[in-house]
Amino acid sequence: MTPEERFERLEIGLHNIREILAETAATASQTEAGLARTEANLARTEAALRRAIRLSVREALAERQRRKAADEHLDQLIDKLSAAQLVTEEKLQRFLESRAHHNGDSE
């Protein structure tokens, strides 16, 4: 092989290496751009999850407060109902006693 042929082969090899390096650089650039988009999407997803968690915790606390208030209201209603029941029982007892006395007097 002559020196010119070797030189030509070397130039072809260098040319191929340059093309491969250019393709590799383009691929690396595309990969970096894709990674940047993925990181941006990840940041948005993380922010949305944090917001959803924060809102769900807030809603759970509000629901707990609503249930506590409803339980207290129910307790008050039960207390009123119990008091009314006692009054009703006392009135019924007095009524029955008055009927018993009234029936006893007429016999």
Side-chain angles (χ1 to χ4, degrees):
M1 180 179 292
T2 65
E4 288 85 20
E5 290 173 336
R6 277 200 264 171
F7 182 73
E8 188 176 322
R9 286 185 81 182
L10 190 59
E11 277 187 335
I12 291 172
L14 286 174
H15 177 72
N16 290 341
I17 290 172
R18 285 186 193 119
E19 285 181 0
I20 291 170
L21 286 175
E23 289 173 7
T24 302
T27 301
S29 177
Q30 291 171 352
T31 301
E32 287 177 12
L35 180 59
R37 284 190 305 275
T38 300
E39 287 175 347
N41 288 338
L42 180 61
R44 282 193 300 274
T45 300
E46 187 174 316
L49 285 173
R50 287 182 187 278
R51 182 174 185 273
I53 290 168
R54 187 174 53 251
L55 291 174
S56 66
V57 168
R58 187 180 302 158
E59 178 57 28
L61 291 173
E63 178 63 23
R64 188 181 306 161
Q65 290 174 344
R66 284 190 297 270
R67 286 184 183 195
K68 182 180 177 185
D71 287 347
E72 289 171 357
H73 182 66
L74 182 59
D75 288 344
Q76 290 173 355
L77 291 176
I78 289 173
D79 289 344
K80 286 181 180 181
L81 182 59
S82 295
Q85 180 65 27
L86 288 174
V87 169
T88 301
E89 289 173 3
E90 289 172 2
K91 287 180 179 182
L92 177 61
Q93 188 63 37
R94 283 196 307 264
F95 174 74
L96 292 175
E97 288 173 1
S98 73
R99 296 285 294 165
H101 290 309
H102 184 0
N103 286 339
D105 290 339
S106 60
E107 289 182 17

